Amino acid sequence: GINAEYGKQWYQRRVREAVVSTQSTGCQHYKLHHLKIADVIQEAIEKLEKQASRAEAEDGEEGDDEAAQQAQETLDLLNESKQENNDRYEDQYIIQFFTEKLLSMPCQNQGFVLDGFPKTYSQAKDLFGNKEEPEDEDAPKLEYNTKLMPEAVISLDGDDEFLKKRVMNLPELVVAGTHNTEDLFLKRLTEFRMVNTDDQTVLNYFDELEVHPEHLDITADTSSNMSQVVQKVVKVVGAPRNYGPTEEERLELERIEMEKRMKKEAQEKLELQRKEEEEKKETKRRKDEWAARVKEVKEQEEEVLQAQSYPLRNYLMKHVMPTLNQGLIEVCKVRPEDAIDYLAEYLFEHNPQVD
């Protein structure tokens, strides 16, 4: 139809991937719908509860009432099944939830990553098996549903000791409220090993259909976020060629980019102000240091001059000042017309060194 033609024209590749592992994993390199069993079940239950609640609406139509009644009956069967199966849903219901999710427009148009389900050969066969007859009677019936079958199957391989150690080292905040506590993880690991024997594994199912799994040894990846494994996954699946970001995603990316730019500019402004303040302080420090040195030099010079002036002062006070003072007093008394000549004559006449 139009959707298929659009995908062909624009080389759109709807990546479908199944990750088989005893622990949760995901790849954010592709804009795909990450399907985990708990999320798929919760979404399906919430959808049924929403449909069932329409029966209580006063203005509901007859079709709505019938759909609401069917939804409520399904919820009742689910609750009954859960009570009879140790608080777990039967595989038939889980497979039904996954089938509806995989056939939804978002998953069909954009692709998906199946994480941790199916876990067994029988679950894979029931989920991906082709239940529809071909339109052409002469055409052979395919063994699997092409709308559901993953393009790539990736098995993250690790021995039990490595898996235990990795889960035990997870932060308490990450483990809280999950199945990755020590007791629950060991229980799930034991169950996984029991239902996946050498002859009956979920990987065997894909092998039989010529969708050969890619095995990746996660024990060799020492990075904290499994970046080396992610790079291998990208290499297996190939470059993303999916829809571009939605308008909301584009606006969100622009907002994040603007926030980063504003934050960077604010940091650069603060850094510039800090450097200017440091330069001002350094300039003031150098000026103060220079002024202190100049003052110190002047004080030292004054001390030297004062020390050097002591002998000269003593000489003047002893041999010159007594006669000079008397001469000045005499000039003040007489007030001659030529005061300098009078003072000189006085000093010459009263010189104690001359007889």
Side-chain angles (χ1 to χ4, degrees):
I2 296 176
N3 186 47
E5 184 64 23
Y6 179 85
K8 182 178 179 182
Q9 284 292 328
W10 291 98
Y11 303 100
Q12 181 201 1
R13 185 182 181 192
R14 310 190 241 329
V15 178
R16 298 167 181 169
E17 178 182 344
V19 180
V20 181
S21 171
T22 52
Q23 62 177 13
S24 295
T25 185
C27 179
Q28 297 179 350
H29 184 75
Y30 303 93
K31 289 183 175 295
L32 304 175
H33 296 276
H34 187 185
L35 306 185
K36 296 185 287 187
I37 185 169
D39 297 338
V40 172
I41 292 175
Q42 182 179 356
E43 181 180 337
I45 296 298
E46 290 177 354
K47 183 178 178 181
L48 287 170
E49 290 175 345
K50 186 176 181 180
Q51 291 175 345
S53 65
R54 294 176 183 172
E56 301 176 359
E58 297 180 358
D59 56 348
E61 298 180 0
E62 184 176 349
D64 292 339
D65 291 341
E66 185 176 351
Q69 185 177 354
Q70 291 177 354
Q72 185 59 55
E73 291 175 356
T74 303
L75 285 172
D76 294 339
L77 289 173
L78 287 170
N79 290 329
E80 183 179 346
S81 172
K82 191 176 181 181
Q83 292 176 358
E84 294 176 354
N85 289 277
N86 196 22
D87 205 32
R88 292 185 177 183
Y89 294 107
E90 294 180 65
D91 283 354
Q92 59 174 326
Y93 297 115
I94 298 176
I95 290 169
Q96 178 184 342
F97 296 156
F98 266 94
T99 301
E100 293 175 356
K101 182 64 178 178
L102 295 178
L103 291 176
S104 65
M105 292 301 293
C107 287
Q108 288 295 302
N109 289 338
Q110 295 171 302
F112 54 81
V113 175
L114 278 172
D115 186 353
F117 189 87
K119 298 181 180 188
T120 66
Y121 184 98
S122 59
Q123 287 176 345
K125 187 174 182 180
D126 291 339
L127 177 60
F128 301 118
N130 191 9
K131 304 176 183 63
E132 299 179 356
E133 295 293 334
E135 296 181 1
D136 187 355
E137 296 180 357
D138 297 330
K141 181 179 179 180
L142 294 175
E143 296 185 42
Y144 58 87
N145 190 329
T146 56
K147 294 181 179 179
L148 304 179
M149 178 61 68
E151 290 181 349
V153 179
I154 299 174
S155 176
L156 304 182
D157 300 332
D159 56 58
D160 290 1
E161 192 61 33
F162 172 83
L163 298 174
K164 292 175 186 177
K165 185 177 180 180
R166 180 168 175 80
V167 170
M168 295 308 120
N169 289 335
L170 288 174
E172 185 65 27
L173 185 63
V174 176
V175 174
T178 69
H179 296 293
N180 287 329
T181 59
E182 183 175 357
D183 294 338
L184 290 176
F185 174 75
L186 293 176
K187 181 180 178 182
R188 289 194 303 125
L189 181 59
T190 302
E191 292 176 354
F192 180 84
R193 298 302 187 200
M194 289 178 61
V195 298
N196 283 275
T197 60
D198 292 339
D199 297 329
Q200 287 288 323
T201 69
V202 64
L203 299 178
N204 293 144
Y205 172 77
F206 293 111
D207 260 330
E208 292 172 2
L209 297 177
E210 301 297 326
V211 182
H212 300 296
E214 186 74 24
H215 291 266
L216 300 180
D217 182 12
I218 62 175
T219 61
D221 192 343
T222 57
S223 59
S224 60
N225 57 354
M226 286 289 172
S227 58
Q228 298 172 11
V229 171
V230 172
Q231 291 175 4
K232 292 179 181 178
V233 171
V234 172
K235 187 176 180 180
V236 171
V237 178
R241 291 191 293 179
N242 212 325
Y243 284 126
T246 63
E247 182 66 16
E248 291 79 6
E249 290 174 333
R250 186 184 63 80
L251 292 174
E252 180 65 14
L253 290 174
E254 289 179 356
R255 184 188 66 79
I256 293 174
E257 189 64 28
M258 182 177 294
E259 287 182 354
K260 287 182 179 179
R261 185 168 62 254
M262 292 176 64
K263 184 178 180 180
K264 183 179 179 181
E265 291 175 355
Q267 289 177 343
E268 290 176 349
K269 185 177 180 180
L270 289 174
E271 182 67 15
L272 181 61
Q273 291 177 349
R274 185 186 65 80
K275 288 183 177 180
E276 289 178 350
E277 289 294 328
E278 287 182 353
E279 289 176 358
K280 288 180 180 178
K281 291 179 180 179
E282 181 64 17
T283 302
K284 184 178 182 301
R285 185 189 68 78
R286 290 178 179 177
K287 287 182 177 180
D288 293 344
E289 184 178 352
W290 175 256
R293 288 181 179 178
V294 170
K295 182 181 179 182
E296 184 180 355
V297 170
K298 287 183 177 180
E299 290 177 350
Q300 291 175 354
E301 289 177 349
E302 290 176 358
E303 289 177 359
V304 171
L305 290 174
Q306 188 174 6
Q308 292 176 349
S309 68
Y310 284 149
L312 180 60
R313 185 183 303 173
N314 291 335
Y315 173 80
L316 292 173
M317 293 297 293
K318 180 177 180 180
H319 299 287
V320 177
M321 292 307 298
T323 305
L324 181 60
N325 284 336
Q326 291 298 324
L328 291 173
I329 292 172
E330 189 64 26
V331 169
C332 291
K333 288 179 180 180
V334 176
R335 295 187 181 184
E337 291 183 3
D338 190 348
I340 298 300
D341 186 63
Y342 184 86
L343 179 61
E345 288 290 340
Y346 180 87
L347 292 176
F348 181 77
E349 292 176 1
H350 293 82
N351 184 0
Q353 302 294 331
V354 179
D355 294 335

